[in-house]
Amino acid sequence: MSSLFLFCQFAKFSVVLFGGGYMIIPLLMTTFVEENPVFSLDAFGNLLVLSQITPGAVSLNTATWIGFTQRGIIGALAASLGLVLPTVFLSFCAITVLDRLEKTLFMQGILKGVRYAGVAMICYAIVLFAGMSVFTQPVPWRRLVDFITAGASLQGFAVNPVETVIALLAFFSALKLRLSMIQIMISGALFGILLHLVF
Amino acid sequence: MRKLLQTTPEKITKKELIVRCWVLFYTFFKIALFVVGGGLAMLPVIEEVFLRKHKWLNKKEILDMVILTQTVPGLIAVNASLYVGSRIAGFIGSVAALIGVMIPSLLIICSIAYFFPDLSPNNPYITSGFSGIRAAVTGVFAITAWRLGKEIIHSVWDGLIILILLILLLANVYPLYVIVLSMPVGFFLILKKQKKLFFKEKKHE
């Protein structure tokens, strides 16, 4: 994977990332696990998780990491600049006309539509991450349909009880206790080690 | 073009400009080095430093910064640093702030990736720790989806649009196309709403 390819890919992603980086996860998954299999699903999951718990902008961390594993320092620079440069250009265009831009029908329409896509993307990210934790393998939709309609076997696809408990705990502790994301993730790691020792 | 680059509100001396650029670089470097949790977690810290401590930005400019992060595509941290930099010290300031945001990521990630290149280790404790965090991330994402959904879904139609987009994603449509597809949908909905308002006004007349 050349540095130029990395730069172009991340530049492409950065143009459609509206209001936050979590939308990038499905894009990265499709590009670097399915289309160009440079990471295994397991390794990629760990990479995403590590970029979340290291300080700094999450997507920038992910981009740097992917670039570094492919082409060393040059690759890391190419990937992170790819993610940043389109934003530099666009925000300089926007700063001067910000007051008017926000009120134009065109921009309002785009922002409204992208908000729907944002919810869909994060739901998809939940499915992807559930396939790496709550279930033993990525959700096999076709076999699942066969299973429900014809009772075919779901070989190798099952629920991990420990991870399910952690995911539910994380959900409810974020809802009720208002813990921060990093506190939840670190307790998730500790719970994971503890519960695997017990069971 | 000249107007574009001169976004500072008042004229400042060269010495002052250098000082401001240094403070911008240093502050954003520190924020990116110590704040965990991405761009959204950085915004309150930026407000604290530049609004309360240095008093270089006012309330309206902080609000504009938030609007910019939601309007212009890209990372929140990058958008915020560019805006704050350009308001405080023009074009050079925003470059200083941007470099400040980017360097910690490069340093931290490259050193971790250099010393621990193996992303799927065999140690059972580390493996179970990782799968614990992945499960926690699943829960955190579910919370984010829940909150976003509550904000956005007002009718059955909103839910239906999101469901269709999700099914497209699950059917392995390239995610970029799904985002691009959602834009005209939003545009159409806004137009429809405008039309309704327009006719209502006419009736009143």
Side-chain angles (χ1 to χ4, degrees), chain A residues 17 22 42 46 61 116 132 163, chain B residues 74 105 119 131 134 148 158:
Chain A
L17 285 183
Y22 55 79
D42 192 53
N46 290 346
N61 288 347
Y116 292 123
M132 292 187 282
E163 275 80 2
Chain B
S105 273
L119 277 169
S131 77
R134 270 188 247 156
L148 271 178
D158 292 339

Side-chain angles (χ1 to χ4, degrees), chain A residues 135-156:
Chain A
F135 304 117
T136 46
Q137 54 171 251
V139 186
W141 293 104
R142 196 156 297 157
R143 279 198 288 150
L144 210 62
V145 173
D146 287 346
F147 173 71
I148 293 164
T149 53
S153 72
L154 279 177
Q155 203 180 17

Side-chain angles (χ1 to χ4, degrees), chain A residues 43-182:
Chain A
F44 201 65
N46 290 346
L47 192 154
L48 287 177
V49 156
L50 280 172
S51 353
Q52 301 247 0
I53 57 172
T54 39
V58 176
S59 329
L60 200 57
N61 288 347
T62 322
T64 312
W65 204 316
I66 292 173
F68 190 85
T69 54
Q70 295 307 308
R71 275 275 177 275
I73 301 278
I74 303 292
L77 269 174
S80 51
L81 282 179
L83 200 58
V84 164
L85 285 184
T87 316
V88 175
F89 178 71
L90 290 173
S91 59
F92 266 96
C93 296
I95 283 173
T96 43
V97 289
L98 188 64
D99 291 330
R100 273 168 292 156
L101 182 70
E102 203 216 352
K103 291 193 188 82
T104 57
L105 221 55
F106 182 68
M107 206 61 222
Q108 278 181 356
I110 286 183
L111 289 179
K112 189 177 170 70
V114 163
R115 240 168 256 154
Y116 292 123
V119 180
M121 291 287 259
I122 199 159
C123 290
Y124 186 52
I126 296 172
V127 175
L128 290 176
F129 263 91
M132 292 187 282
S133 59
V134 174
F135 304 117
T136 46
Q137 54 171 251
V139 186
W141 293 104
R142 196 156 297 157
R143 279 198 288 150
L144 210 62
V145 173
D146 287 346
F147 173 71
I148 293 164
T149 53
S153 72
L154 279 177
Q155 203 180 17
F157 181 71
V159 174
N160 285 327
V162 173
E163 275 80 2
T164 314
V165 170
I166 295 173
L168 286 174
L169 273 178
F171 182 81
F172 285 109
S173 63
L175 193 66
K176 295 290 172 205
L177 302 177
R178 307 227 155 241
L179 291 175
S180 75
M181 209 156 155
I182 186 72

Side-chain angles (χ1 to χ4, degrees), chain B residues 157-169:
Chain B
W157 290 108
D158 292 339
L160 203 66
I161 293 169
I162 291 171
L163 191 70
I164 291 170
L165 292 176
L166 180 62
I167 289 173
L168 285 178
L169 285 171

